[in-house]
Structure formats: structure tokens, C-alpha cells
Amino acid sequence: MSGAQTAVFGMQRTDEELVALSTAGDMESFNQLVVRWERPIFALAYRVLGREEDARDICQETFLRAFRALKGFKGQAKFSSWIYRIALNLCRDWIRRERRTTKVTSLDADTEPAPADRSAETAEERVVRHDLGRVITRAMSALSEEQRTTIVLKEYHGLTFQEIADLQKCPLSTVKTRLYQGLGVLRRQLQRSGVHGLEGIVGLPPTGLMARSSRKVVNLDR
Amino acid sequence: MTETNSCVEKGALIDYLYGEADAEARARVEAHLRVCVQCADEVSGLKDVRGNLEAWVPPQAELGFRMVSDAKPEPVTMSVWSRLRRPPVWGLTTAAAVVLVAAATITKPELEIGRGGMVLRIGWSDTEPEATTQPEAASRVDPPTRGAEPPEPVQPLRGTPVAVGRQSRDTVPLQPGAEVILGPGVTAAADESLLRAVGQLLREEERIANRRQADLTEIQRAFGEFEVTGADRPRQQLLDYLRRVSAR
């Protein structure tokens, strides 16, 4: 089946349908999965690792491994959960390798964040957001790997507690504890950096920060 | 500085913070927050942290990963290596020509066409026949026996081999154990038999000449009878012509 046939009357195929087509040999269907998930996987790797180049490598390796193991994917889990697990395992291996070579794993706070979907912002607002992003990056470095991964999966990818527990292979209560403790560490780090509440970004419309719909949330239930 | 809240269970607080608490649990937490400033400050502070996390945006990296199958059939066009492994026709022709030239250089063939027939000679020894040594001759004569017992010494006959007629060459039998040398001369072992063959040829030629003379005499006698009987002039001319041809 050709790639053009993967879109039927303008309706997008589900992940599971694309996986079935890919397993049957339709490379274009797998590439549609790549297009659908490469941004979330890259964002996940970047926020866990803190380095763009390494995140890009992890992202590419994730899809490569997924493609190689596609025939072994029997649909026992959602494709999204499966590929998230692959990416997180790669991130964990990367962090362990880094720990063997360096004492401290710090996130790269100098990386220029993307001005995506910020066309309504003024120049001042962009500067404030950029500075806050660097502060958050440094604050994230103070978290443990487990705390940071849990917060990233919950805050930026919208996974449920149970999905996070399944990915991290830990009890549900452990996930909530990591969230609670991690958010507490971040709060203290931000306060030390002079960010108190939302004061650090005074002037930005509150809805622009707090509206959850504007956040790129990945819904694993789709 | 905000410390951990000890009033509300952490799990319930996280459920409330992320909006995943059921109605009963949510009402219980909200009731507590109205009377506990410390817990209210805790929840407010955590909400602010969540709001600030919005500013952490990953860079717009160039991704565009695409999987490309490596199981496609090989293209029709040949690779460079395949082309090298398949030499062109002109290459094979050139190689064959080189081999022929090299073989001709090594063997030095000589083709002689005379009255007695065609003789092809190949070998190394005609330029310096005196330098031909016995081991060389032996090695050329009988390579399979090299390394076994040494061959009998041979005496190569110098000079151009006798040009015998085709019929005579076919009829001259090789003596048992006679050696054939690819080159000028014959072996001493075949010398005597060759002389006998030449003598036989001479005798055969003499016999043929005698027979030819007898035939001419018979023809002349026959035409003489025509003269006796008064044959015409053209027959006499034909007889003269036959005499001239037979005399050559």
C-alpha cells in the first residue's frame, strides 16, 4: 500500500493503524509516525538531557530502534507509550555514560529557546521569557534524574500518573512523591534566582502562561 | 521558604494540583486550604512553579528524520566496481593480442613454404644452435619425464631439416623411441631412417621417370601409326605439344 493511501478521505490514521501498515512493509506509514512523534520525542530528550545535539541523536536513535523492533510490537501498549519508553531508556543510558565521565550533569542553560507560537509577544516579553527559561533550565539541573523525568512527562507531555508509573516502572505513589518533591525543589531554586511566583514575568498575560491548552501536551490516549 | 506540607497527604495534594482529584477529595482539600495558611501558600507556590515552567521551550531543531528502506532492489545501472569486474570486449581483444605477441616472441615461429610442402618451426635454438645444451633439449622434448631419470643424451642435427614431400612425410614411419624436436635438424637416432627414406624417395622418383618415358614412347608410337595412315596436320601439332610438356 502506498503512502498516499494512508490518508483516507482526509482522516488521519491512528498510530495503531500506521503501525500495522508499517509492519506490513509500508515505509511511508512509519514515516508518518515519525512526523507525528519526532517533535515530542525531541522535546522529551532535550528537557531530560538539556543538550540539543544529544537530544537530536537520541530522537533519531529512538525511531531507528523502534523501526527495527516494530515487528515485535504486538500492540500490548500504545505506540506512544512504547516509543516514549525507548526514548527514556536511551536518555537513561546517556545520563549514565555522562556520569561516568563527568561529576555533575548540568543542563545547558545557554541554549536559545525557540520563539514558537509567541508572535503576540512583545520584545520585552520575549526577553523576560528567555531569561526565565534559562533560570528554569538551571533549576532543573538541581533535580534528580527521576524527579526531572517525572516532571517533564507530566508537565510537558501530559501523561497520566499511571502512564508515568508504567514508564518508570515504579508505584503510583512514587510518581506523586517525585512530582511533589521536584516541584518543591524548583520553587526554591526559582526563589533563589529572584523569581517569586509569577512576578518574574510580570507584564505577560496570565492566560498566556497558565492556559494549559497552549502547552504542547501529548495525549497518550489518542 | 516553603517547606513540605504536613497537613495534607502528598498524593492528595498532587491530585488536587493537577486537577485529577475526585469531587470529594477536591472539596476536602479546598476546605483545608481555607483554614490553613501554610498549605494555601504551598499550593499557591507550586501553581506558580507550574506556570513558570511554560517558559522552558526547547529549541526549534531541524529534525525531519525519515526512514529509508535498505531492501530496495539494486538499480539497473552498474556500479563502478561491477564495471571494473566486467572488462569490455575491446579489453579482451587487446589481452588476447598481447598473449599472442608474447607467445610469438618466446617461441619465434618460422614458416617455410617450399616445393616439398609447408614447414613450421618454433623454438629458441635456431639463432644460437651451438649454445643448445642437452638439458634444454631434453626438457623441451619430454617435459613429463623431467625430474625422473635423466633422458638419453641427444645430438641435435644442425642445419635446415630436409624438405620432404607431403606424401613422403606421411609415409615415413617414425622409429620406436625416435624423438621429435621442434626446431631445425633431426636427431641422430632418426638419421639413418631418414636417409633410408630419402633413398626410397629417390628410387620412387626414378621409377616414376621411367614410367613417364615409357608412356611417351607409347604415345609417340600411337601417333606414328596415325602418320602411317595419313593423319592430318593438327594431330601432328598436338603430338609435338605433348612432347614438349612431357619433357619439362
Side-chain angles (χ1 to χ4, degrees), chain A residues 27 30-31 34-35 38-39 42-43 46-47 52 56 59-60 64 67 107 111-114 116 118 129 132-133 136-137 140 151 154-156 161 176-177 179-180 183-184 186-188 190-191 195 197-198 201 208-210 212 214-215, chain B residues 1-21 38-72:
Chain A
M27 187 70 68
F30 187 81
N31 281 331
V34 174
V35 171
E38 64 180 358
R39 285 289 163 190
F42 169 77
Y46 171 76
R47 288 188 171 109
E52 179 179 350
R56 195 200 314 268
C59 183
Q60 187 170 358
L64 189 60
F67 180 77
L107 302 181
T111 303
E112 188 73 20
R118 309 296 180 194
R129 187 178 300 279
L132 181 58
I136 293 173
T137 302
M140 282 285 182
I151 289 177
K154 188 61 181 174
E155 291 291 337
Y156 298 100
F161 297 133
K176 295 179 180 179
T177 299
L179 274 174
Y180 180 79
L183 289 175
L186 287 177
R187 186 185 182 193
R188 289 191 291 273
L190 292 177
Q191 287 175 341
V195 178
L198 296 178
I201 45 177
L209 287 174
M210 300 302 293
R212 314 310 297 172
S214 64
R215 185 169 295 174
Chain B
M1 183 69 64
T2 303
E3 300 299 335
T4 55
N5 190 292
S6 58
C7 300
V8 181
E9 192 265 332
K10 292 188 292 290
L13 186 62
I14 289 296
D15 287 341
Y16 174 78
L17 194 63
Y18 285 94
E20 296 189 15
Q38 186 177 5
C39 288
D41 181 70
E42 174 86 6
V43 171
S44 176
L46 296 180
K47 284 183 177 179
D48 290 343
V49 169
R50 294 192 61 207
N52 290 333
L53 291 178
E54 178 80 8
W56 194 26
V57 180
Q60 287 289 334
E62 293 293 333
L63 301 177
F65 305 131
R66 293 293 177 272
M67 298 297 298
V68 179
S69 174
D70 56 353
K72 290 181 179 178

Side-chain angles (χ1 to χ4, degrees), chain B residues 64-218:
Chain B
F65 305 131
R66 293 293 177 272
M67 298 297 298
V68 179
S69 174
D70 56 353
K72 290 181 179 178
E74 293 185 358
V76 178
T77 56
M78 296 172 59
S79 64
V80 176
W81 176 241
S82 299
R83 290 176 181 173
L84 290 176
R85 289 194 302 177
R86 292 187 179 183
V89 176
W90 63 265
L92 294 174
T93 305
T94 305
V98 169
V99 170
L100 289 176
V101 170
T105 304
I106 294 174
T107 59
K108 298 177 181 177
E110 290 183 4
L111 181 62
E112 180 179 316
I113 302 176
R115 294 177 59 186
M118 181 177 68
V119 176
L120 175 63
R121 295 191 301 272
I122 56 175
W124 291 265
S125 60
D126 65 336
T127 55
E128 295 181 0
E130 293 80 1
T132 303
T133 59
Q134 294 180 358
E136 280 186 353
S139 64
R140 290 199 305 272
V141 168
D142 192 11
T145 60
R146 183 172 57 185
E149 57 184 23
E152 292 293 330
V154 294
Q155 297 295 330
L157 194 65
R158 298 173 184 173
T160 304
V162 177
V164 296
R166 180 171 298 143
Q167 181 182 0
S168 301
R169 285 201 302 269
D170 295 339
T171 55
V172 173
L174 288 176
Q175 297 298 323
E179 302 176 50
V180 178
I181 294 181
L182 300 178
V186 294
T187 63
D191 188 13
E192 186 176 354
S193 61
L194 182 59
L195 291 177
R196 285 200 303 269
V198 171
Q200 183 178 357
L201 287 174
L202 293 175
R203 286 191 297 274
E204 183 70 15
E205 185 177 1
E206 183 179 1
R207 187 184 63 80
I208 292 174
N210 293 336
R211 180 59 184 268
R212 183 180 60 183
Q213 186 64 33
D215 292 342
L216 286 174
T217 303
E218 181 65 20

